[in-house]
Amino acid sequence: MNNTALAFDGLGHAYLPERWIFRGYRAAVTRGRVFALLGPNGRGKTTLLKILLGALQPSEGEIQVHGRIAFVPQLFQVSFDYSALDMVLMGRARKIGLFTQPVPADEEAALQALERFGMAHAAHRPFHEMSGGQRQLVIFARALVAEADILILDEPTSALDLKNQGIVLEWIAKLRDEGLTVLFTTHHPHHAHAVADDALLMFSERDYACGPVDEVLTEAHLLRLYGVPLRQVAFEYEGKALASLVPVHGSLRRLPVAG
Amino acid sequence: MTDSGLTISVAPLVAKHPPMPGGRCMPYLLGVAVLLAIVGSLLLGAYPMPFDQAVTIVAHLAWPGPLPDDPSWNIKELTVIQTVRLPRVLVATLAGMGLGMAGAALQGVMRNPLVGPDLVGVTSGAAFGGVLAMLFGWPPIGVVGLAFVGGLLAMGLTFTLARLARNGGNGMALILAGVFIGAFFIALVGLVQFVAPDVKLPGMVYWLLGSFIGVDAQKVFMIAIPTLGGGAVLMLLRWRINLLSLGDLDAASLGVDVRWLRWLVIAVVSLIVAAQVSVAGVIGWVGLVVPHLARMLVGPDHRRLLPASALLGGLFVLGLDDVTRTIVRGELPVGVLSALVGTPFICFLFWKTQTKGWSDQ
């Protein structure tokens, strides 16, 4: 059985002739793993995501998708005040004919998906009035009713407070443990470090690093990626030895030095 | 990642209408209201018409059989209903229904509650076709036909121009193209009026203002076929409009062929609007105002919004026409009244959205 959910080879894109955003990129996303996509603003994460979603034709290269993709956009804004249930129901689009309307079984499936994320009580609440974290869970529920195998999330934690960032990261890990493949973009290397198994770092047009997180999320790579030094900090929490990545900004507050 | 879709608003814009309790049965109530309004409108006018007479005559016209030996109505009453009031009432209702659902569908696929059907250039194109036919001295059916062709031509040009844009699939390119093409056709309307002989000018101006005077059975069919046919397509696609109202990338990831579906909806909307303008001139603002009112009644879900907008649109335009032909003696053009009623409403919405904000963001 093919163990690859998503793969691309020799991938390149240029919006204008010979103005390459990236070129010659190659990576494979393994089924049932979390894959993080990192790069500074303007490096082409969005372009790569659009290509993977099939919304943009790459200028060159090959892509293979083995499974059904569901997309969770960043900063979800809707122009009309749909209820959470209406939003989740839209995940059924592939199952409902072009000229037909959802039936009660579809609504039932949508409600169950909301329940799965502990959001059934808010099914009829306007989506627009929900907190960023709640909205993200509603969109996760929508991906669930779409019966997707691959979840692509665009900066899923960008507009969330710390608590909601934690909830979303935990759900990413949980969905991975249930067999889903998750690919997400992020500006937070410590989030990639916390939940991702593999990562792709987009350094420049032709230069990238791809591999298991332990190998690619190194201090040297991250300095190259962002131009900001990051340090891996080890600590103990609730009896467990843990590590995280911390950026070292020039104006960081220094600890008072004893003596 | 930001979505490539359109926002022509100047402030964050979310049409916030909490679903009303009982919203589900609202379309049925509106349906009954439209039927009652149709019957009520048949009674209105200079010639007195009792309720039972009107109903019997309509029943006779709906199920034509041999003329009864001793009908309860006289031939004069039959003529009033058959040739004057019924065609006018039907055309007004169909025009309102078409504009209401066209507006709701367009706002959905453009993801912007402040756009109206006039914005894709069809209205101006149809107006040009109509005045050109009048300049040539064509009969009414010719005016209808050429207005229709003008509307479709403007729509075609708008689509072509939008397709040339780099992001032609998104709504913003289409809106801008519609504004440009619309402005061009408005200039052509001005040109035709400038060269028109004095004797033809008042007719053109009056037609452009929008009116249901002089509609006949032929015009009923001219508006009914595109409105009911196009309306049926929109009704079948109404849940898909919910999907189109998400971002392009988001909708595409849910398996929607965004570009194709959006063009289809806009083509149907253009057809309906062209039919309305060709039969009764420019009746603006209905397609913008009615969907907002409908959203207040049934919420934003297009499965209920589209039928509600159609019925409310029918009720709205029929009501306006009743006012123009009864309360305001001398037949104020219905297009003038719709603008007089519609613009303050839109100003109110503008005030609410741009100064107070729809959302609490």
Side-chain angles (χ1 to χ4, degrees):
Chain A
M1 187 189 146
N2 190 347
N3 207 27
T4 305
L6 248 173
F8 48 87
D9 193 4
L11 196 68
H13 193 73
Y15 286 106
L16 297 169
E18 294 309 312
R19 299 278 292 273
W20 294 92
I21 308 287
F22 53 80
R23 203 172 186 191
Y25 272 45
R26 177 188 174 150
V29 181
T30 310
R31 202 175 290 281
R33 282 168 80 90
V34 177
F35 190 98
L37 192 58
L38 294 98
N41 285 333
R43 185 72 278 148
K45 293 192 299 295
T46 299
T47 303
L48 181 53
L49 222 57
K50 280 186 177 173
I51 291 172
L52 294 179
L53 287 167
L56 186 67
Q57 199 61 35
S59 303
E60 61 180 30
E62 272 182 28
I63 309 161
Q64 290 174 19
V65 179
H66 305 283
R68 178 176 285 173
I69 294 179
F71 175 56
V72 179
Q74 177 199 0
L75 282 179
F76 207 98
Q77 287 278 356
V78 280
S79 303
F80 301 99
D81 212 12
Y82 298 121
S83 70
L85 188 64
D86 288 338
M87 292 299 294
V88 178
L89 196 56
M90 293 191 210
R92 302 285 282 182
R94 281 197 179 87
K95 297 197 163 295
I96 296 167
L98 180 64
F99 291 110
T100 47
Q101 317 300 318
V103 294
D106 294 308
E107 299 219 359
E108 188 53 40
L111 208 57
Q112 276 176 10
L114 276 171
E115 208 171 307
R116 171 90 178 65
F117 289 91
M119 295 290 293
H121 65 281
H124 296 286
R125 262 188 64 195
F127 181 75
H128 192 260
E129 285 176 9
M130 294 182 157
S131 72
Q134 286 177 319
R135 282 192 221 180
Q136 206 67 276
L137 294 186
V138 169
I139 300 303
F140 277 5
R142 195 185 69 177
L144 214 67
V145 298
E147 294 178 6
D149 327 285
I150 307 165
L151 213 56
I152 294 186
L153 307 104
D154 188 22
E155 297 184 25
T157 54
S158 65
L160 305 182
D161 59 36
L162 280 176
K163 187 182 170 189
N164 281 305
Q165 287 181 13
I167 291 172
V168 166
L169 291 175
E170 272 169 28
W171 268 108
I172 289 176
K174 231 184 265 187
L175 293 170
R176 181 254 325 266
D177 295 344
E178 287 172 13
L180 251 70
T181 308
V182 183
L183 183 151
F184 72 102
T185 64
T186 183
H187 279 301
H188 302 297
H190 63 289
H191 287 171
H193 188 261
V195 293
D197 303 298
D198 306 290
L200 171 68
L201 279 61
M202 303 172 80
F203 297 125
S204 67
E205 179 194 318
R206 286 171 183 274
D207 198 7
Y208 66 96
C210 185
V213 160
D214 292 339
E215 290 172 23
V216 293
L217 279 188
T218 61
E219 293 178 354
H221 275 163
L222 291 168
L223 176 63
R224 249 179 91 196
L225 191 66
Y226 296 113
V228 172
L230 282 106
R231 288 288 171 266
Q232 199 173 111
V233 182
F235 55 93
E236 198 189 290
Y237 179 74
E238 291 184 345
K240 279 183 271 183
L242 300 172
S244 188
L245 287 163
V246 179
V248 186
H249 293 296
S251 57
L252 276 182
R253 198 183 167 93
R254 272 171 292 179
L255 284 172
V257 181
Chain B
M1 180 168 61
T2 50
D3 206 312
S4 58
L6 102 150
T7 16
I8 60 165
S9 52
V10 281
L13 193 66
V14 173
K16 280 189 87 178
H17 300 298
M20 258 185 45
R24 280 177 192 272
C25 55
M26 193 55 78
Y28 301 103
L29 291 176
L30 284 171
V32 173
V34 169
L35 286 177
L36 290 176
I38 288 175
V39 174
S41 302
L42 291 174
L43 309 181
L44 294 173
Y47 190 88
M49 182 72 63
F51 175 77
D52 51 339
Q53 299 290 73
V55 172
T56 332
I57 294 171
V58 171
H60 169 71
L61 292 171
W63 293 278
L67 210 62
D69 291 335
D70 186 22
S72 58
W73 32 265
N74 60 44
I75 201 74
K76 207 170 171 183
E77 287 167 340
L78 177 69
T79 310
V80 166
I81 293 284
Q82 188 174 10
T83 62
V84 183
R85 289 188 194 166
L86 192 58
R88 181 167 182 159
V89 164
L90 289 179
V91 168
T93 310
L94 285 165
M97 289 177 82
L99 290 172
M101 64 185 154
L106 204 62
Q107 290 177 2
V109 300
M110 293 293 173
R111 306 209 313 274
N112 193 326
L114 282 185
V115 303
D118 314 356
L119 276 175
V120 279
V122 189
T123 311
S124 319
F128 170 64
V131 291
L132 196 64
M134 288 178 188
L135 181 71
F136 296 153
W138 289 10
I141 186 74
V143 175
V144 171
L146 201 56
F148 197 70
V149 171
L152 295 186
L153 176 70
M155 179 193 83
L157 288 173
T158 302
F159 279 23
T160 309
L161 184 61
R163 268 179 175 278
L164 295 176
R166 191 170 140 194
N167 287 320
N170 80 28
M172 189 58 180
L174 192 78
I175 293 278
L176 286 175
V179 169
F180 301 149
I181 298 294
F184 179 73
F185 277 99
I186 288 292
L188 289 179
V189 168
L191 187 68
V192 170
Q193 287 181 319
F194 180 72
V195 299
D198 287 352
V199 65
K200 287 182 178 169
L201 198 55
M204 286 180 186
V205 172
Y206 197 80
W207 179 79
L208 281 173
L209 291 173
S211 171
F212 295 111
I213 292 176
V215 295
D216 51 18
Q218 205 172 26
K219 285 187 176 174
V220 174
F221 285 106
M222 297 259 351
I223 193 170
I225 293 165
T227 304
L228 298 178
V233 175
L234 291 184
M235 288 301 159
L236 289 172
L237 288 172
R238 64 194 194 276
W239 184 65
R240 294 268 148 184
I241 296 174
N242 279 358
L243 288 152
L244 284 177
S245 73
L246 302 171
D248 284 7
L249 201 54
D250 194 22
S253 79
L254 293 172
V256 180
D257 187 340
V258 175
R259 187 177 278 231
W260 181 85
L261 194 58
R262 180 179 286 144
W263 287 130
L264 175 66
V265 171
I266 294 168
V268 173
V269 162
S270 304
L271 187 77
I272 292 172
V273 176
Q276 181 277 308
V277 178
S278 61
V279 168
V282 180
I283 303 170
W285 302 97
V286 177
L288 189 51
V289 168
V290 164
H292 280 281
L293 295 172
R295 232 174 258 122
M296 288 174 190
L297 293 176
V298 298
D301 185 345
H302 291 83
R303 283 179 291 169
R304 287 195 293 278
L305 182 67
L306 233 62
S309 295
L311 294 167
L312 204 60
L315 212 54
F316 186 70
V317 173
L318 185 57
L320 288 180
D321 188 49
D322 287 345
V323 171
T324 62
R325 69 189 174 93
T326 52
I327 296 170
V328 188
R329 293 283 168 176
E331 292 268 10
L332 177 72
V334 72
V336 173
L337 192 61
S338 75
L340 285 175
V341 174
T343 42
F345 183 77
I346 290 303
C347 289
F348 168 73
L349 284 182
F350 184 76
W351 165 72
K352 223 181 139 188
T353 56
Q354 305 302 322
T355 60
K356 288 185 161 184
W358 282 108
S359 61
D360 36 22
Q361 294 187 358

